[in-house]
């Protein structure tokens, strides 16, 4: 592993708050929004836009890359390992129904990050094993609550968060799904020390302050652990 791969994984290990955003910042000024969220404590930003073509993703990527670089954060691309090099992303996130994780790893190489979504206890345990094998670098657990960003995916509740927290895991994991300033505390109490968020920040009047509140809830859990 090169120094760049080691650095990415060190930053991932220290990450708490992960923002997923589309190519347009939900109608906001994208660069200003990302800067505010990162100032508030976001450690990872993911470009996820199921409706964007390759040109739109490539056009949006520099704003994500610049914001991440300005704040020492990581930039991850959703479901497009083939565009990771072209966008300058630090890695890729794939779902259970996307390409196999081994194929994603082969596509992005050893020095970039691969993340995986999980929705059941069996998938959580398999992801932890894949992390131990070096195939993935982190996984997401959820959706904890129903969310329109995952249509058709039923909420798993806090039980899956508790399962993920019930044993040491080989790689970092993040709770995801309907987490906001009113629900993040319960997820943290169930064992989550990291979280992925979308609408709570993209729809916030003050993304910086909201990110700071979310991160604070997670850090309370880290301090109690």
């Amino acid at each position: 592993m090169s120094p760049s791969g080691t650095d990415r994984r060190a930053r991932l290990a220290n990450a708490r708050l992960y923002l997923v955003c589309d190519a347009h910042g939900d109608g906001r000024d994208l660069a200003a929004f990302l800067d505010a969220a990162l100032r508030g404590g976001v450690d990872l930003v993911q470009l996820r836009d199921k409706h964007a073509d390759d040109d739109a993703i490539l056009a949006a990527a520099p704003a994500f890359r610049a914001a991440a670089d300005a704040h020492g954060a990581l930039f991850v691309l959703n479901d497009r390992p083939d565009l990771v090099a072209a966008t300058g992303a630090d890695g890729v996130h794939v779902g259970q129904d996307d390409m196999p994780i081994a194929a994603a790893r082969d596509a992005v190489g050893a020095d970039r990050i691969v993340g995986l979504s999980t929705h059941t206890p069996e998938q959580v345990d398999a992801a932890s094993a894949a992390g131990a094998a070096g195939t993935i670098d982190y996984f997401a657990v959820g959706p904890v609550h129903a969310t329109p960003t995952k249509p058709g995916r039923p909420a798993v509740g806090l039980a899956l968060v508790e399962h993920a927290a019930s044993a040491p895991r080989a790689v970092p994991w993040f709770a995801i799904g309907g987490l906001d300033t009113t629900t993040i505390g319960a997820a943290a109490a169930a064992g989550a020390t990291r979280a992925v968020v979308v609408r709570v920040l993209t729809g916030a009047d003050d993304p910086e302050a909201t990110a700071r509140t979310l991160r604070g809830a997670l850090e309370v859990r880290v301090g109690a652990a």
Side-chain angles (χ1 to χ4, degrees):
M1 188 186 301
S2 75
S4 61
T6 300
D7 176 67
R8 285 176 177 128
R9 289 171 176 87
R11 282 185 281 165
L12 177 63
N14 291 322
R16 296 294 157 204
L17 191 59
Y18 186 157
L19 167 65
V20 176
C21 181
D22 68 16
H24 309 287
D26 249 19
R28 296 172 178 264
D29 179 297
L30 181 60
F33 165 66
L34 291 173
D35 182 64
L38 287 158
R39 282 199 312 270
V42 166
D43 305 287
L44 292 91
V45 289
Q46 181 189 132
L47 170 51
R48 178 186 187 270
D49 198 323
K50 298 292 188 179
H51 304 294
D53 60 16
D54 290 9
D55 289 343
I57 291 172
L58 292 169
F64 284 79
R65 181 71 273 168
D69 288 344
H71 294 275
L74 295 166
F75 163 38
V76 173
L77 194 63
N78 179 264
D79 191 27
R80 293 301 303 271
D82 57 315
L83 292 181
V84 163
T87 58
D90 294 300
V92 68
H93 184 93
V94 296
Q96 291 287 328
D97 301 324
D98 298 328
M99 72 162 54
I101 53 174
R105 170 60 69 200
D106 288 344
V108 303
D111 288 334
R112 285 188 163 95
I113 290 167
V114 176
L116 176 69
S117 297
T118 65
H119 315 295
T120 67
E122 294 77 15
Q123 290 174 359
V124 166
D125 294 343
S128 188
T135 311
I136 66 168
D137 299 288
Y138 74 88
F139 58 94
V141 175
V144 179
H145 305 285
T147 171
T149 64
K150 291 289 185 180
R153 176 71 65 182
V156 299
L158 293 171
L160 193 60
V161 174
E162 293 170 348
H163 176 78
S166 67
R169 300 297 175 182
V171 291
W173 60 273
F174 296 76
I176 185 173
L179 298 177
D180 57 28
T181 54
T182 65
T183 60
I184 192 76
T193 59
R194 300 174 175 87
V196 180
V197 296
V198 187
R199 293 175 300 141
V200 64
L201 288 185
T202 60
D205 292 334
D206 187 340
E208 180 178 353
T210 302
R212 190 170 291 115
T213 297
L214 294 165
R215 188 181 180 97
L218 295 167
E219 288 177 340
V220 166
R221 172 63 190 181
V222 173

